[in-house]
Amino acid sequence: MQAETVLPGELHQTTTRPIPTALMIANRLLVPFGLLAVTVATVMVVVLHLLPGWGGVNPITGMLSDYGVRPDGWVFDTALDVMSIGSALLLIKMAWHGVLRGRLSWILMVGWCVCLVGIASFTKDPNTADQTFRGALHLYSTAAACFCLPVAGLVLGRRHRSHPEWRRFALTSEGLAWEIGRASCRERV
């Protein structure tokens, strides 16, 4: 692969500069490792819930953050950190190839990655205790993450809806974003 460098004074004189092999290899590995990290994180949370003696959080009445205050909460925190790393790898790939265009989509995706680390770093307050500073940081990180990902999906879907190669993915992204937003905002009874 060759890249051309054109300086203002040399409009008709171009020189080619090869892209380093390490950069090309990194470019090819971002998506597989990013998707692998997201998949591993998802499996960790599902296994945490399904293993007897672990988890124990009722998926109907409990919240995912309840895993973090249990003795095996390190699994949940690690899963969130792995998910953040995978999301960051996918973010880099999307930015590299121009999928993330504009400041809003970039800020929302970076916000999602940072909020995942915030959720894992600051544990939730127990339901019977007063709110602490750590609990408040966890709560606000959770709220921001629940906002950032669906809105980023909507922004990316809207931006790429008319592009022939991205149309199918854009509509899927928008549909998933609406569903995630609907599920995140649903009031618990």
Side-chain angles (χ1 to χ4, degrees):
M1 199 186 272
Q2 300 287 326
E4 292 187 15
T5 305
V6 179
L7 300 174
E10 304 172 338
L11 185 59
H12 297 290
Q13 302 171 358
T14 60
T15 59
T16 59
R17 172 178 48 126
I19 296 177
T21 305
L23 201 58
M24 288 181 4
I25 291 172
N27 184 21
R28 289 192 180 131
L29 293 178
L30 284 174
V31 170
F33 280 117
L35 291 176
L36 178 67
V38 169
T39 304
V40 165
T42 304
V43 168
M44 286 174 72
V45 172
V46 169
V47 167
L48 177 65
H49 181 72
L50 295 179
L51 283 178
W54 284 52
V57 175
N58 185 341
I60 305 299
T61 60
M63 295 176 21
L64 281 174
S65 296
D66 290 337
Y67 285 115
V69 295
R70 300 183 61 80
D72 47 14
W74 65 270
V75 177
F76 179 72
D77 294 340
T78 303
L80 288 179
D81 290 337
V82 169
M83 175 79 74
S84 179
I85 290 167
S87 297
L89 292 174
L90 295 173
L91 168 71
I92 291 167
K93 181 71 171 186
M94 288 190 301
W96 200 334
H97 289 282
V99 176
L100 287 180
R101 292 185 201 139
R103 191 172 293 154
L104 180 61
S105 58
W106 185 230
I107 289 171
L108 289 168
M109 289 299 292
V110 168
W112 161 254
C113 296
V114 170
C115 286
L116 284 177
V117 173
I119 293 168
S121 300
F122 306 108
T123 55
K124 152 188 190 316
D125 290 326
N127 293 337
T128 58
D130 292 333
Q131 189 172 25
T132 63
F133 181 69
R134 284 180 70 108
L137 288 175
H138 176 85
L139 179 67
Y140 296 133
S141 294
T142 302
C146 289
F147 172 80
C148 286
L149 187 62
V151 174
L154 288 173
V155 168
L156 289 172
R158 173 72 64 189
R159 187 159 288 146
H160 297 290
R161 183 186 281 179
S162 62
H163 194 281
E165 292 179 25
W166 287 98
R167 180 174 174 73
R168 181 176 48 134
F169 298 110
L171 295 175
T172 303
S173 172
E174 282 184 289
L176 287 172
W178 280 114
E179 192 58 34
I180 290 170
R182 187 182 66 76
S184 296
C185 295
R186 187 173 42 208
E187 185 177 336
R188 292 185 182 264
V189 180

Coordinates of all heavy atoms in Angstrom, one line a residue, residues 14-59:
T14 N 5.0 14.5 -6.7 CA 4.5 13.7 -5.5 C 5.6 12.7 -5.2 O 6.3 12.2 -6.1 CB 3.2 13.0 -5.8 OG1 3.4 12.2 -7.0 CG2 2.1 14.0 -6.1
T15 N 5.7 12.4 -4.0 CA 6.5 11.3 -3.5 C 5.7 10.3 -2.8 O 4.7 10.6 -2.2 CB 7.6 11.8 -2.6 OG1 7.0 12.4 -1.4 CG2 8.5 12.8 -3.2
T16 N 6.0 9.0 -3.0 CA 5.2 8.0 -2.3 C 6.0 7.5 -1.1 O 7.2 7.5 -1.1 CB 4.9 6.8 -3.2 OG1 6.2 6.3 -3.7 CG2 4.1 7.2 -4.4
R17 N 5.2 7.2 0.0 CA 5.8 6.7 1.2 C 5.0 5.5 1.6 O 3.8 5.5 1.7 CB 5.6 7.9 2.2 CG 6.0 7.6 3.6 CD 5.8 8.8 4.5 NE 4.5 9.4 4.2 CZ 3.6 9.7 5.2 NH1 3.9 9.5 6.4 NH2 2.5 10.3 4.9
P18 N 5.7 4.4 1.8 CA 5.0 3.1 2.2 C 4.5 3.2 3.6 O 5.1 3.8 4.5 CB 6.1 2.0 2.1 CG 7.4 2.7 2.2 CD 7.2 4.1 1.7
I19 N 3.3 2.6 3.8 CA 2.7 2.6 5.1 C 3.4 1.4 5.9 O 3.5 0.3 5.3 CB 1.2 2.3 5.0 CG1 0.5 3.5 4.3 CG2 0.6 2.1 6.4 CD1 -1.0 3.4 4.1
P20 N 3.8 1.7 7.1 CA 4.6 0.6 7.8 C 3.8 -0.6 8.0 O 2.5 -0.6 8.1 CB 4.8 1.3 9.2 CG 4.7 2.7 9.0 CD 3.7 2.9 7.8
T21 N 4.4 -1.8 7.9 CA 3.8 -3.1 8.0 C 3.1 -3.2 9.4 O 2.0 -3.8 9.4 CB 4.8 -4.2 7.8 OG1 5.5 -4.0 6.6 CG2 4.2 -5.5 7.8
A22 N 3.7 -2.7 10.4 CA 3.1 -2.8 11.8 C 1.7 -2.1 11.8 O 0.8 -2.6 12.4 CB 4.0 -2.3 12.8
L23 N 1.7 -1.0 11.1 CA 0.4 -0.2 11.1 C -0.7 -1.0 10.3 O -1.8 -1.0 10.7 CB 0.7 1.1 10.4 CG -0.3 2.2 10.7 CD1 -0.4 2.5 12.2 CD2 0.1 3.5 9.9
M24 N -0.3 -1.7 9.2 CA -1.2 -2.5 8.5 C -1.7 -3.7 9.3 O -2.9 -4.0 9.2 CB -0.6 -2.9 7.1 CG -0.5 -1.8 6.2 SD 0.2 -2.2 4.5 CE 0.5 -3.9 4.5
I25 N -0.8 -4.3 10.0 CA -1.2 -5.4 10.8 C -2.2 -5.0 11.9 O -3.2 -5.6 12.2 CB 0.0 -6.1 11.4 CG1 0.8 -6.8 10.3 CG2 -0.3 -7.2 12.5 CD1 2.2 -7.4 10.7
A26 N -1.8 -3.9 12.6 CA -2.7 -3.4 13.6 C -4.1 -3.0 13.1 O -5.1 -3.3 13.7 CB -2.1 -2.1 14.2
N27 N -4.1 -2.5 11.9 CA -5.4 -2.1 11.2 C -6.2 -3.4 11.0 O -7.4 -3.4 11.2 CB -5.1 -1.5 9.9 CG -6.3 -1.0 9.2 OD1 -7.4 -0.8 9.8 ND2 -6.2 -0.8 7.9
R28 N -5.6 -4.5 10.6 CA -6.4 -5.7 10.4 C -6.8 -6.4 11.7 O -7.8 -7.2 11.7 CB -5.5 -6.7 9.6 CG -5.4 -6.2 8.1 CD -4.8 -7.2 7.3 NE -4.7 -6.7 5.9 CZ -3.6 -6.8 5.2 NH1 -2.6 -7.4 5.7 NH2 -3.6 -6.3 4.0
L29 N -6.1 -6.2 12.8 CA -6.4 -6.9 14.0 C -7.3 -6.2 15.0 O -7.8 -6.8 15.9 CB -5.1 -7.2 14.8 CG -4.1 -8.2 14.1 CD1 -2.9 -8.3 14.9 CD2 -4.8 -9.5 13.9
L30 N -7.6 -4.9 14.7 CA -8.5 -4.1 15.6 C -9.9 -4.7 15.7 O -10.4 -4.9 16.8 CB -8.5 -2.7 15.2 CG -7.3 -1.8 15.4 CD1 -7.5 -0.4 14.8 CD2 -7.1 -1.7 16.9
V31 N -10.5 -5.0 14.6 CA -11.9 -5.5 14.7 C -11.9 -6.9 15.3 O -12.8 -7.1 16.2 CB -12.5 -5.5 13.3 CG1 -13.8 -6.3 13.3 CG2 -12.8 -4.1 12.8
P32 N -11.1 -7.9 14.9 CA -11.2 -9.2 15.5 C -11.0 -9.2 17.0 O -11.7 -9.8 17.8 CB -10.2 -10.1 14.8 CG -9.9 -9.4 13.5 CD -10.2 -7.9 13.7
F33 N -10.0 -8.4 17.5 CA -9.7 -8.3 18.9 C -10.8 -7.5 19.6 O -11.1 -7.8 20.8 CB -8.3 -7.8 19.2 CG -7.2 -8.8 19.0 CD1 -6.2 -8.7 18.0 CD2 -7.2 -9.9 19.8 CE1 -5.2 -9.6 17.9 CE2 -6.2 -10.9 19.7 CZ -5.2 -10.7 18.7
G34 N -11.3 -6.5 19.0 CA -12.3 -5.7 19.6 C -13.6 -6.5 19.8 O -14.2 -6.5 20.8
L35 N -14.0 -7.3 18.7 CA -15.2 -8.1 18.8 C -14.9 -9.3 19.8 O -15.9 -9.7 20.6 CB -15.5 -8.7 17.5 CG -16.1 -7.6 16.5 CD1 -16.3 -8.3 15.1 CD2 -17.3 -7.0 17.0
L36 N -13.7 -9.8 19.9 CA -13.4 -10.9 20.8 C -13.5 -10.4 22.2 O -14.1 -11.0 23.1 CB -12.0 -11.4 20.6 CG -11.5 -12.5 21.5 CD1 -12.4 -13.8 21.4 CD2 -10.1 -12.8 21.4
A37 N -13.0 -9.2 22.5 CA -13.1 -8.6 23.8 C -14.6 -8.3 24.3 O -15.0 -8.7 25.4 CB -12.3 -7.3 23.9
V38 N -15.4 -7.8 23.4 CA -16.8 -7.6 23.7 C -17.5 -8.9 23.9 O -18.3 -9.0 24.9 CB -17.5 -6.8 22.5 CG1 -19.0 -6.8 22.7 CG2 -16.9 -5.4 22.5
T39 N -17.2 -9.9 23.1 CA -17.8 -11.2 23.3 C -17.4 -11.9 24.6 O -18.2 -12.4 25.4 CB -17.5 -12.2 22.1 OG1 -17.9 -11.5 20.9 CG2 -18.1 -13.5 22.3
V40 N -16.1 -11.8 24.9 CA -15.6 -12.4 26.2 C -16.3 -11.7 27.4 O -16.7 -12.3 28.4 CB -14.1 -12.3 26.3 CG1 -13.5 -12.5 27.7 CG2 -13.4 -13.2 25.3
A41 N -16.4 -10.4 27.3 CA -17.0 -9.6 28.4 C -18.5 -10.0 28.6 O -19.0 -10.2 29.7 CB -16.9 -8.1 28.2
T42 N -19.2 -10.2 27.5 CA -20.6 -10.6 27.6 C -20.7 -12.0 28.1 O -21.6 -12.3 29.0 CB -21.2 -10.6 26.2 OG1 -21.1 -9.3 25.6 CG2 -22.7 -10.9 26.2
V43 N -19.9 -12.9 27.7 CA -19.9 -14.3 28.2 C -19.5 -14.3 29.7 O -20.1 -15.1 30.5 CB -18.9 -15.2 27.4 CG1 -18.7 -16.5 28.1 CG2 -19.4 -15.4 26.0
M44 N -18.6 -13.5 30.2 CA -18.3 -13.4 31.6 C -19.5 -13.0 32.4 O -19.7 -13.6 33.5 CB -17.1 -12.4 31.8 CG -15.8 -12.8 31.4 SD -14.5 -11.6 31.5 CE -14.3 -11.5 33.2
V45 N -20.3 -12.1 32.0 CA -21.4 -11.6 32.8 C -22.5 -12.7 32.7 O -23.1 -13.0 33.8 CB -22.0 -10.3 32.3 CG1 -23.3 -9.9 32.9 CG2 -21.0 -9.2 32.5
V46 N -22.7 -13.4 31.6 CA -23.7 -14.4 31.5 C -23.3 -15.6 32.4 O -24.1 -16.2 33.1 CB -23.9 -14.9 30.0 CG1 -24.7 -16.1 29.9 CG2 -24.6 -13.8 29.2
V47 N -22.0 -16.0 32.3 CA -21.5 -17.1 33.1 C -21.6 -16.8 34.6 O -22.0 -17.6 35.4 CB -20.1 -17.5 32.7 CG1 -19.5 -18.4 33.7 CG2 -20.1 -18.2 31.4
L48 N -21.3 -15.5 34.9 CA -21.4 -15.1 36.3 C -22.8 -15.3 36.9 O -23.0 -15.7 38.0 CB -21.0 -13.6 36.4 CG -21.2 -12.9 37.8 CD1 -20.2 -13.5 38.8 CD2 -20.9 -11.4 37.7
H49 N -23.8 -15.1 36.0 CA -25.2 -15.2 36.4 C -25.6 -16.7 36.5 O -26.4 -17.1 37.3 CB -26.1 -14.4 35.5 CG -27.6 -14.6 35.9 ND1 -28.1 -13.9 37.0 CD2 -28.6 -15.3 35.4 CE1 -29.3 -14.2 37.2 NE2 -29.7 -15.0 36.2
L50 N -25.1 -17.5 35.6 CA -25.6 -18.9 35.5 C -24.9 -19.9 36.4 O -25.5 -20.9 36.7 CB -25.4 -19.4 34.0 CG -26.3 -18.7 33.0 CD1 -26.0 -19.2 31.6 CD2 -27.8 -18.8 33.3
L51 N -23.7 -19.6 36.8 CA -23.0 -20.5 37.7 C -23.6 -20.5 39.1 O -23.8 -19.5 39.7 CB -21.5 -20.1 37.8 CG -20.6 -20.5 36.6 CD1 -19.2 -20.0 36.9 CD2 -20.6 -22.0 36.4
P52 N -23.9 -21.7 39.6 CA -24.4 -21.8 41.0 C -23.4 -21.3 42.0 O -22.2 -21.6 41.9 CB -24.7 -23.3 41.2 CG -24.3 -24.0 39.9 CD -23.7 -23.0 39.0
G53 N -23.9 -20.6 43.0 CA -23.0 -20.0 44.0 C -22.4 -18.7 43.6 O -21.9 -18.0 44.4
W54 N -22.5 -18.3 42.3 CA -22.0 -17.1 41.9 C -23.2 -16.2 41.5 O -24.3 -16.7 41.3 CB -21.1 -17.2 40.6 CG -19.7 -17.8 40.9 CD1 -19.4 -18.9 41.7 CD2 -18.5 -17.2 40.5 NE1 -18.1 -19.1 41.7 CE2 -17.5 -18.1 41.0 CE3 -18.1 -16.2 39.7 CZ2 -16.1 -17.8 40.8 CZ3 -16.8 -15.9 39.5 CH2 -15.8 -16.8 40.0
G55 N -22.9 -15.0 41.3 CA -24.0 -14.1 40.8 C -25.1 -14.0 41.8 O -25.0 -13.4 42.9
G56 N -26.2 -14.7 41.6 CA -27.3 -14.7 42.5 C -28.2 -13.4 42.4 O -29.0 -13.2 43.2
V57 N -28.0 -12.6 41.4 CA -28.8 -11.4 41.2 C -30.0 -11.8 40.4 O -29.9 -12.4 39.3 CB -28.0 -10.3 40.5 CG1 -28.8 -9.1 40.2 CG2 -26.8 -9.9 41.3
N58 N -31.2 -11.4 40.9 CA -32.4 -11.7 40.2 C -32.5 -10.8 38.9 O -32.5 -9.5 39.1 CB -33.6 -11.4 41.1 CG -34.9 -11.8 40.5 OD1 -35.0 -11.9 39.2 ND2 -35.9 -12.0 41.3
P59 N -32.6 -11.3 37.7 CA -32.6 -10.5 36.5 C -33.9 -9.7 36.4 O -33.9 -8.7 35.6 CB -32.4 -11.5 35.4 CG -32.9 -12.7 35.9 CD -32.6 -12.7 37.4

